[in-house]
Amino acid sequence: MQQARQCLDSRHIVFLGDSLTRYQYLSLVYFLSKGHYMERYGGGSSPSLCLEKEWDSWQHFYREGPTILSNATDAEAHEGCDCVKSGWKQHKEREFRDFTLYGYNKETADDILDTGSITVSYAQVFATPTFETAGQLFLELYLEQLPLRYQKLPDSVVFNTGLWGLPAVALLSPVQQLAIFLGIAKIGTQFHQKRNPHTRLIWKTITVSAQNEAEPDMENLNEAGSKAFATDGNWDIMDARIITQAAKNQGLNLYWDQMHFLPFVYEELNDVLLNMLCSPENVFVERSLS
């Protein structure tokens, strides 16, 4: 925990994506707040923030989540949730979450103890009629909403597009799929170049699902996405697919439904993300540019 706090100190990390990205965000901020990850399989004395099935309503989930996360170990914390959801298929919804940890001890370059702060945010890209429109939502959130909501622009953005409209986009040719992902990547690059050239952009790849019959389509999309974001040249790639595929190949039970993971999977994904964010060269580069 202390190493994670130290490397993320004074930084603002933003997650943009679907519900899987929400739970990765919640797993990470729980770790930063409590000093340990959640119960790996749920079923604890209180509902897990990574298992929506353990909550009796979205209202309860949105109300109690900030209370849990704001009760930090050896530090001060606050999570705000500007969240509206009245059902599974509602379209007039929003979810903006902001977690700040502050007042914890940190070491300075002169080995003097000081206090630090970390901000981690999440904005949900909600279900859309077609996969292609995820790019437009990303544009609205990234280029329009984030600068209005935050005085300090993010140091790193972790983005995934979700799989809404999968049947339709799976019928497109590889060239068409590649073009869709390239369009989304270039939207992020617009922000990167015009708003904050020091922001690190990370595309989180498509994860495996429990629906084996959908895997060939998802694999093709993942290949197109990885190629597109790599081609754009301004994105790093977090290969969440290879991580989840390896666990699935071992016969592990990863899911509580057909798509969403048990808490331990988000823990593994966050360990990889922290290693990406906290590698010495990345810490040095981002701090030297700030």
Side-chain angles (χ1 to χ4, degrees):
M1 174 185 69
Q2 294 301 335
Q3 287 181 321
R5 287 179 176 179
Q6 188 76 13
C7 91
L8 297 181
D9 180 63
S10 302
R11 295 162 77 178
H12 183 193
I13 314 300
V14 173
F15 290 83
L16 297 178
D18 60 9
S19 55
L20 296 175
T21 301
R22 174 207 295 134
Y23 295 124
Q24 186 174 350
Y25 155 83
L26 288 170
S27 173
L28 177 61
V29 298
Y30 187 96
F31 171 70
L32 293 172
S33 176
K34 307 295 186 182
H36 58 83
Y37 284 109
M38 303 176 199
E39 293 284 343
R40 291 175 63 81
Y41 300 95
S45 57
S46 60
S48 171
L49 291 177
C50 283
L51 289 172
E52 61 197 57
K53 69 173 184 176
E54 293 187 352
W55 297 84
D56 55 21
S57 68
W58 281 105
Q59 289 79 4
H60 188 199
F61 174 75
Y62 286 147
R63 184 175 64 250
E64 294 299 320
T67 300
I68 295 171
L69 295 170
S70 297
N71 184 19
T73 302
D74 70 15
E76 299 293 326
H78 174 75
E79 200 219 19
C81 185
D82 179 12
C83 307
V84 175
K85 185 191 291 284
S86 56
W88 291 97
K89 299 295 183 181
Q90 301 300 312
H91 296 288
K92 294 182 179 180
E93 303 176 342
R94 66 178 181 272
E95 185 168 344
F96 291 96
R97 309 182 75 121
D98 301 295
F99 172 83
T100 303
L101 185 77
Y102 55 96
Y104 55 87
N105 290 333
K106 69 171 185 176
E107 295 181 5
T108 66
D110 300 322
D111 294 327
I112 300 174
L113 285 179
D114 196 359
T115 57
S117 65
I118 301 166
T119 302
V120 187
S121 303
Y122 167 74
Q124 182 164 8
V125 179
F126 279 104
T128 57
T130 63
F131 186 82
E132 293 90 328
T133 54
Q136 181 61 35
L137 280 179
F138 184 41
L139 176 65
E140 294 173 359
L141 284 169
Y142 203 180
L143 297 181
E144 298 176 9
Q145 291 292 327
L146 290 187
L148 295 176
R149 297 183 68 87
Y150 307 119
Q151 293 182 346
K152 182 180 184 296
L153 292 172
D155 299 280
S156 299
V157 171
V158 181
F159 172 68
N160 85 307
T161 53
L163 286 176
W164 303 298
L166 174 62
V169 76
L171 297 176
L172 299 177
S173 71
V175 173
Q176 291 171 313
Q177 293 177 358
L178 179 63
I180 291 172
F181 278 110
L182 274 172
I184 297 172
K186 290 185 183 302
I187 287 170
T189 299
Q190 291 177 33
F191 178 94
H192 184 79
Q193 294 174 341
K194 296 179 180 180
R195 297 276 188 169
N196 186 5
H198 304 325
T199 295
R200 184 180 182 188
L201 302 174
I202 300 173
W203 183 59
K204 173 187 165 187
T205 68
I206 299 166
T207 52
V208 296
S209 76
Q211 302 173 11
N212 293 326
E213 65 275 9
E215 282 303 299
D217 293 335
M218 294 171 71
E219 182 64 40
N220 291 337
L221 276 176
N222 203 62
E223 182 177 347
S226 297
K227 183 177 180 180
F229 283 94
T231 299
D232 181 80
N234 292 292
W235 293 76
D236 291 325
I237 296 175
M238 177 185 168
D239 198 339
R241 184 171 184 79
I242 198 171
I243 300 167
T244 51
Q245 184 68 65
K248 188 176 181 180
N249 290 345
Q250 293 297 316
L252 300 179
N253 178 23
L254 307 182
Y255 313 94
W256 66 265
D257 65 3
Q258 293 298 301
M259 185 64 68
H260 296 91
F261 296 114
L262 293 167
F264 81 91
V265 179
Y266 303 109
E267 175 181 338
E268 300 298 328
L269 292 171
N270 277 322
D271 283 347
V272 171
L273 177 62
L274 285 170
N275 277 292
M276 291 180 67
L277 296 174
C278 298
S279 61
E281 61 270 20
N282 289 327
V283 174
F284 174 78
V285 168
E286 292 198 25
R287 288 184 175 175
S288 67
L289 291 173
S290 61

